[in-house]
């Protein structure tokens, strides 16, 4: 369940500008049904879901779609296992929904170096003159800075820069780049490198964000995984994915790192950190630091 949550609990996809309606399906679940409902949504919901905790103790799992039929199918799938679950459909005007969503999208401060802003808050960057602004358009790709794992990676990068702990003119790799936010952050500090993701939409989103920040010549993005850079080495590697893939990729990631290089791993829960550390110790990479935020952790090796 922890891994499923890591994949699925992310910002809901934004509807396209100009579309008329957005449909919302709320599942009101009891505490005893909470874990099972989460697992079912992680299995059947293509767009992910949101958790809403009410002061009354009630829990709502919320899904959005531009197609009501898709939500009705999802509702039937959940009902098949949890027949007593309460469901509620709501139809919203997209423009109103977008405006409400944007009001709740706040700047994210990461370490001493970075502030993450959506494009509609670009004018706010003057209020953070001592930080590097990262303008990230929130789309379907993971990594808006709002999730703890992304913020942890940016904080680790900020701390490394503060400590002057990276090789001169480092070359980076951002594995599982998502929105491209980590690659963009590295490029904004003068580095150059590559972002990889198996999702074609993520690559398009990452390229847009690189262009938005004026670093499109410092970072390139390609669809694929480590096989795309086989035999190449990097001074800084980000891998913000999941605990199990991180463990299985320990050897090739270690081999892709230069002798004085730094590897930042995240996408793992604190309770998974020890097993990930052990996997990298077996290939000669030692953890210099573990940073935590809530139930999430990042490792600097």
């Amino acid at each position: 369940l922890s891994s499923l949550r890591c994949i699925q609990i992310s910002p809901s996809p934004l509807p396209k500008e100009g579309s008329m309606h957005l449909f919302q399906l709320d599942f009101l679940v009891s505490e005893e049904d909470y874990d099972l409902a989460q697992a079912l949504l992680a299995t059947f919901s293509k767009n992910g879901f949101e958790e809403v905790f009410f002061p009354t103790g009630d829990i709502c799992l919320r899904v959005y779609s531009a197609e009501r039929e898709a939500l009705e199918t999802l509702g039937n799938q959940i009902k098949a296992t949890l027949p007593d679950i309460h469901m509620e459909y709501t139809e919203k005007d997209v423009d109103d929904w977008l405006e409400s969503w944007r009001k709740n999208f706040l700047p994210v401060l990461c370490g001493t170096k970075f502030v993450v802003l959506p494009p509609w808050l670009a004018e706010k960057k003057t209020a953070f003159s001592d930080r590097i602004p990262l303008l990230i358009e929130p789309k379907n790709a993971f990594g808006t800075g709002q999730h703890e794992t992304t913020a942890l990676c940016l904080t680790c990068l900020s701390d490394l820069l503060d400590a002057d702990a990276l090789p001169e003119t480092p070359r980076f790799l951002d594995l599982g780049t998502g929105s491209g936010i980590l690659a963009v952050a590295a490029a904004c500090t003068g580095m150059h490198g590559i972002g990889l993701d198996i999702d074609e939409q993520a690559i398009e989103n990452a390229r847009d964000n690189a262009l938005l920040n004026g670093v499109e010549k410092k970072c390139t993005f390609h669809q694929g995984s480590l096989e795309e850079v086989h035999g190449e080495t990097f001074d800084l590697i980000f891998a913000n994915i999941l605990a199990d893939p991180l463990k299985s990729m320990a050897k090739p990631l270690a081999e892709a790192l230069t002798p004085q290089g730094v590897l930042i791993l995240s996408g793992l829960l604190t309770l998974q950190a020890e097993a990930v550390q052990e996997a990298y110790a077996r290939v000669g990479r030692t953890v210099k630091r573990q940073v935590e935020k809530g139930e999430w952790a990042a490792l600097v090796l």
Side-chain angles (χ1 to χ4, degrees), residues 109-132:
L109 305 180
C110 300
T112 64
K113 296 290 186 188
F114 303 107
V115 57
V116 185
L117 299 163
W120 61 86
L121 292 181
E123 72 278 1
K124 299 286 186 183
K125 64 183 179 181
T126 56
F128 304 98
S129 57
D130 58 337
R131 293 175 179 268
I132 298 170

Side-chain angles (χ1 to χ4, degrees), residues 29-228:
V29 299
S30 63
E31 187 174 348
E32 63 182 19
D33 290 336
Y34 172 68
D35 285 342
L36 179 55
Q38 263 200 341
L40 291 169
L41 282 174
T43 302
F44 295 119
S45 176
K46 296 179 180 179
N47 292 339
F49 58 90
E50 294 179 351
E51 292 178 314
V52 182
F53 296 89
F54 296 104
T56 58
D58 294 325
I59 306 168
C60 171
L61 301 179
R62 179 169 292 164
V63 184
Y64 296 101
S65 176
E67 300 175 354
R68 181 176 176 119
E69 292 80 5
L71 290 186
E72 289 175 345
T73 299
L74 175 63
N76 291 334
Q77 290 170 320
I78 304 303
K79 276 274 190 182
T81 303
L82 290 172
D84 296 328
I85 195 169
H86 178 74
M87 301 189 306
E88 185 174 313
Y89 291 95
T90 309
E91 184 176 344
K92 293 181 173 289
D93 180 81
V94 166
D95 291 335
D96 291 344
W97 187 87
L98 279 171
E99 185 60 30
S100 175
W101 188 87
R102 287 176 171 178
K103 284 179 181 177
N104 292 311
F105 202 106
L106 302 174
V108 180
L109 305 180
C110 300
T112 64
K113 296 290 186 188
F114 303 107
V115 57
V116 185
L117 299 163
W120 61 86
L121 292 181
E123 72 278 1
K124 299 286 186 183
K125 64 183 179 181
T126 56
F128 304 98
S129 57
D130 58 337
R131 293 175 179 268
I132 298 170
L134 306 175
L135 299 179
I136 301 298
E137 179 71 61
K139 294 184 180 178
N140 286 355
F142 180 82
T144 62
Q146 305 290 318
H147 195 277
E148 290 88 341
T149 58
T150 310
L152 283 170
C153 289
L154 288 172
T155 298
C156 290
L157 175 58
S158 175
D159 293 345
L160 289 167
L161 293 168
D162 286 340
D164 196 21
L166 291 170
E168 189 175 351
T169 62
R171 181 173 183 244
F172 69 82
L173 170 66
D174 182 12
L175 182 64
T177 193
S179 68
I181 184 171
L182 301 179
V184 167
C188 283
T189 67
M191 305 181 204
H192 66 283
I194 298 170
L196 296 173
D197 203 293
I198 60 174
D199 184 359
E200 183 180 358
Q201 283 189 324
I203 295 303
E204 293 176 3
N205 192 188
R207 287 172 178 159
D208 289 344
N209 284 325
L211 188 64
L212 188 62
N213 288 272
V215 293
E216 67 278 7
K217 293 182 179 179
K218 293 182 179 179
C219 50
T220 57
F221 298 95
H222 306 284
Q223 188 175 0
S225 191
L226 277 175
E227 69 277 358
E228 296 295 318

